[in-house]
Amino acid sequence: MHPYIRISCFGLIAGCARAALDIIPGATWTATNTGQHVQAHGAGLIEEDGTYYLIGEEKTNGALFQAVNCYSSTNLIEWTFVNQLLTVTDEEGADLGPNRIVERPKIIKNDNTGQYVMWMHIDSTDYRDARVGVATGDSVCGEYVYQESFRPLGFQSRDIGLFKDDDGSAYLLTEDREYGTRIIQLTDDYLDVANVTFGWEYFAESPALIKRGETYFIFGSHLTGWSPNDNIYSTATSLSGPWTDWIEFAPVGSNTFTSQVNYVLPLGTDKAIYMGDRWVSTNLGASTYIWLPLEIDGTTATASLEWYDSWSVDLAAGTWTAGSDGTAYEGEDGELSGGARTINCSRCSGAVAAGYIGGSGDGENEGVVELEVDSADTARVTLNIKYLNGDTSPRYAAVSVNDGEAQTVAFVSTSHLGGSVGSTAVHVDLVQGVNTIRIFGVEGGGWGPDVDQVVVPL
Ligand SMILES: *[C@@H]1O[C@H](CO)[C@@H](O)[C@H](O)[C@H]1NC(C)=O
Ligand SMILES: *[C@@H]1O[C@H](CO)[C@@H](O)[C@H](O)[C@H]1NC(C)=O
């Protein structure tokens, strides 16, 4: 450790220019306190006093309802598991009972009642119930009481979103497979629906709505099941329309960078963050999150999305920055010990990787990879570990820097990627100069991932 350099960094802010951590879209994101990939699929967000709460679906065991999870973060990057807001009850046939569909939970706060109100899609496995469910809580990620489900104004309702306007009025965005997509105003207590604000005889699944300047933007996807498509948006200066024709916002043919919109988060006063799910239909718990800065302009009423391998966000300033290419260190070039060795991997860089990391857990075959990496600054940064995990279940590895405390990092399955490597994001403290990154087995054993590269931001 180099405490002197660390202290001088804190004393000299300009020397810590790379303090921002990166969002790596599509990577495995390990929660800070579970050692597991974040399970908040089809999520919504709510911010309170500078803390962001990510509320989404647990999908570890597939499509059927397991839990609505809440995670918190102050930087949108390091997520701490807080609570399960709703869990499976043992009552057969009940909305939250066994073998049910509970999707796309969204929470807004009612400033008059002080209540947090969650709306979600409630369904049977054949999707014939097509209802919305409502739950309420006294604190954002505390205990929630499930209230009821119904068809809003009698209409079928599958994918939903929620929108709270500046004046406190709130709206359900709902897709009706017999009609199209509607904006339905909620009652003043947010517990029920009041009236239809606008309807499209056009299907925009997974609707998400934000206002930038005087313009409302609604985003949605086409109907292609778990497969991604070119998502679309429409704009208006009033929620009751007229709305423009739906058009794509990501490069046509990119299938929205292989994702489906789940939420659009306002950033500062005039920007926004696109949040999409990259569903892995055969292994839903391995689905990742495609979060990207959205180029959005409330004056020209336009939105467009570009790809960044990594990017950072300054929530206080309401700005974002593209990530650097970084320096890639090859796993196989590290010091391999304890049984770790170079393996062939046709789609890895150089067609080889470091394999046999971790192992039995009894001290034998505890494969270790150690890499010496350079850092220009003393800073907390996000490493991108490019890896392979051919299992269906996640693999895990311990990662430490300069013999500091190790963190458990998850690596979800890459078996659906046809041999291509996946990414996992690891947030670490580097010192200026040379750092030793050690990747080894977790307590309890089991093989870690095959490590192709460790990318260190510049
Ligand atoms: C729709 O419902 C809201 C909330 O109850 C109410 O304030 C509004 O006046 C209603 N709009 C129409 C057109 O009925
Ligand atoms: C790895 O690839 C090399 C070069 O093609 C080959 O000689 C070697 O036998 C391979 N090793 C294994 C374990 O397949």
Side-chain angles (χ1 to χ4, degrees):
M1 303 297 278
H2 304 272
Y4 172 74
I5 294 171
R6 184 170 296 225
I7 288 159
S8 75
C9 173
F10 282 121
L12 186 72
I13 299 300
C16 301
R18 276 266 349 150
L21 299 178
D22 290 325
I23 292 176
I24 302 179
T28 305
W29 293 354
T30 306
T32 59
N33 57 346
T34 64
Q36 301 285 349
H37 181 50
V38 168
Q39 291 296 318
H41 307 281
L45 275 96
I46 179 169
E47 184 261 346
E48 197 165 85
D49 302 328
T51 299
Y52 290 79
Y53 297 90
L54 178 69
I55 293 115
E57 307 156 28
E58 171 76 54
K59 285 269 185 269
T60 300
N61 297 318
L64 296 177
F65 175 52
Q66 294 144 65
V68 171
N69 291 332
C70 175
Y71 294 80
S72 73
S73 174
T74 53
N75 60 12
L76 286 187
I77 296 170
E78 294 164 293
W79 291 98
T80 300
F81 174 72
V82 179
N83 198 8
Q84 292 184 322
L85 306 188
L86 297 173
T87 53
V88 182
T89 68
D90 50 20
E91 198 187 332
E92 285 293 335
D95 286 354
L96 306 185
N99 306 311
R100 296 287 296 177
I101 301 293
V102 177
E103 292 176 339
R104 303 197 180 281
K106 301 285 177 285
I107 291 175
I108 50 175
K109 186 184 182 184
N110 188 301
D111 297 318
N112 293 323
T113 63
Q115 241 177 0
Y116 295 84
V117 185
M118 182 196 302
W119 287 65
M120 70 210 95
H121 171 199
I122 295 288
D123 227 318
S124 44
T125 51
D126 61 7
Y127 284 88
R128 286 195 181 164
D129 280 5
R131 297 158 80 86
V132 282
V134 178
T136 55
D138 293 333
S139 63
V140 61
C141 281
E143 219 166 285
Y144 273 74
V145 178
Y146 185 75
Q147 303 290 343
E148 56 171 345
S149 73
F150 51 89
R151 284 188 166 187
L153 304 172
F155 301 129
Q156 286 194 18
S157 179
R158 294 195 189 181
D159 277 359
I160 62 124
L162 275 189
F163 175 67
K164 182 176 166 181
D165 208 347
D166 304 332
D167 64 1
S169 60
Y171 302 82
L172 173 70
L173 320 170
T174 155
E175 192 250 325
D176 171 357
R177 204 54 60 89
E178 289 183 321
Y179 169 80
T181 299
R182 292 186 185 87
I183 300 174
I184 298 181
Q185 189 166 355
L186 303 187
T187 52
D188 292 345
D189 59 10
Y190 299 175
L191 300 179
D192 202 354
V193 286
N195 51 61
V196 175
T197 304
F198 193 81
W200 289 266
E201 286 186 60
Y202 181 94
F203 296 99
E205 204 179 35
S206 184
L209 203 158
I210 66 161
K211 187 183 188 189
R212 298 281 74 180
E214 296 305 307
T215 306
Y216 295 93
F217 294 77
I218 188 169
F219 298 83
S221 83
H222 300 291
L223 310 180
T224 54
W226 296 113
S227 303
N229 56 59
D230 288 329
N231 289 193
I232 61 249
Y233 77 108
S234 168
T235 66
T237 51
S238 163
L239 288 173
S240 57
W243 288 84
T244 59
D245 287 346
W246 295 87
I247 52 165
E248 294 82 7
F249 54 92
V252 172
S254 76
N255 291 329
T256 326
F257 302 114
T258 316
S259 72
Q260 179 183 34
V261 60
N262 62 282
Y263 199 74
V264 179
L265 181 71
L267 173 63
T269 54
D270 61 352
K271 296 185 174 61
I273 298 173
Y274 166 87
M275 297 178 164
D277 293 294
R278 180 173 284 178
W279 298 113
V280 179
S281 62
T282 51
N283 189 0
L284 288 168
S287 302
T288 55
Y289 308 97
I290 303 301
W291 292 6
L292 288 166
L294 186 63
E295 290 287 355
I296 194 163
D297 188 330
T299 309
T300 58
T302 52
S304 69
L305 200 65
E306 270 181 59
W307 179 261
Y308 296 92
D309 285 342
S310 69
W311 58 286
S312 61
V313 58
D314 184 335
L315 292 164
T319 56
W320 61 270
T321 313
S324 65
D325 284 345
T327 306
Y329 295 86
E330 297 292 331
E332 67 278 8
D333 290 346
E335 191 181 314
L336 311 188
S337 61
R341 54 186 186 266
T342 299
I343 57 156
N344 289 340
C345 159
S346 62
R347 300 185 72 171
C348 290
S349 97
V352 286
Y356 296 91
I357 293 168
S360 63
D362 61 5
E364 301 293 318
N365 278 330
E366 280 289 336
V368 177
V369 177
E370 264 186 19
L371 292 166
E372 307 239 300
V373 310
D374 288 316
S375 178
D377 286 311
T378 293
R380 189 160 172 77
V381 302
T382 302
L383 306 177
N384 181 349
I385 301 184
K386 306 274 184 80
Y387 73 95
L388 276 183
N389 167 13
D391 299 343
T392 308
S393 301
R395 290 190 182 194
Y396 307 92
V399 176
S400 70
V401 176
N402 300 330
D403 289 327
E405 200 186 328
Q407 55 179 307
T408 296
V409 178
F411 299 81
V412 297
S413 173
T414 55
S415 61
H416 58 284
L417 296 178
S420 292
V421 297
S423 282
T424 197
V426 188
H427 314 295
V428 297
D429 294 301
L430 297 184
V431 295
Q432 190 175 36
V434 178
N435 296 262
T436 303
I437 295 178
R438 187 179 161 90
I439 305 172
F440 55 108
V442 293
E443 216 173 293
W447 294 111
D450 300 332
V451 173
D452 179 23
Q453 292 182 318
V454 176
V455 181
V456 181
L458 294 176

